[in-house]
Amino acid sequence: MKRVVARLWRLIRGPLQWRVLWFTHAKFMVGVTGVVRDDKGQVLLLKHRMWPPEHPWGLPTGYAVKGEEFPQTVVREVKEETGLDVKPGLLVHVKSGYKLRVEVAYEALLVGGDLDIDGFEILEAQWFAPDSLPQGTQEAHRRLIEGKPLS
């Protein structure tokens, strides 16, 4: 049976193989987070309107759009939410196992732009020293900032 399946698989090369794979495998949204730092080592935190009121502070985040490379998601999300320009750096976190989501985080460095927050999603944006994060910072984001593994 395995030989028959293998032979069929080789016969349907190209677009048909991709369709079969698409229909038979899981689909995920990819949440991408940026640990954005300036040249002084401060980290950018955003006070998010739609997050729980007891934990509104966190890193710039968003979902990758189809065909987008994840480092570019960081660049786009930071620009959309803050008006700032960043250069993506090292991949610092990947986690799967959720029902419909994968999480990815990258370091990023501020390279320019003027702070102009998106008032729909973001209430406030501030730079903080890593050891002086505000009350209400998401615990997972605090751990990313500190370079600690997420559980």
Side-chain angles (χ1 to χ4, degrees):
M1 181 62 162
K2 289 181 183 180
R3 288 179 187 214
V4 172
V5 171
R7 180 171 281 156
L8 284 172
W9 186 249
R10 285 191 297 270
L11 288 173
I12 64 167
R13 290 183 179 248
L16 187 54
Q17 277 184 342
W18 284 107
R19 284 195 175 95
V20 169
L21 290 170
W22 174 256
F23 286 113
T24 60
H25 286 82
K27 315 302 181 284
F28 295 94
M29 297 179 298
V30 180
V32 182
T33 299
V35 184
V36 179
R37 299 182 195 272
D38 66 9
D39 58 357
K40 298 174 194 155
Q42 295 184 101
V43 66
L44 177 66
L45 290 182
L46 309 178
K47 189 172 187 180
H48 295 260
R49 179 183 304 276
M50 297 178 201
W51 289 9
E54 63 275 9
H55 295 290
W57 286 98
L59 298 163
T61 63
Y63 288 100
V65 296
K66 187 176 182 179
E68 184 175 55
E69 293 184 13
F70 303 147
Q72 291 310 306
T73 303
V74 172
V75 172
R76 178 181 54 77
E77 284 292 334
V78 171
K79 186 68 167 182
E80 288 175 3
E81 294 177 348
T82 69
L84 298 174
D85 299 315
V86 298
K87 177 182 176 185
L90 294 175
L91 174 68
V92 294
H93 173 73
V94 175
K95 183 169 182 172
S96 62
Y98 300 104
K99 191 172 191 174
L100 296 172
R101 187 181 81 237
V102 173
E103 292 181 351
V104 178
Y106 285 87
E107 287 281 344
L109 179 65
L110 175 70
V111 294
D114 295 313
L115 189 60
D116 180 23
I117 63 170
D118 165 18
F120 178 73
E121 286 185 62
I122 308 302
L123 297 169
E124 194 175 337
Q126 288 188 40
W127 293 95
F128 293 92
D131 60 356
S132 298
L133 303 178
Q135 288 264 343
T137 300
Q138 295 276 327
E139 184 57 33
H141 290 191
R142 185 179 296 274
R143 294 181 71 76
L144 283 171
I145 292 163
E146 295 169 350
K148 294 180 180 174
L150 302 180
S151 49

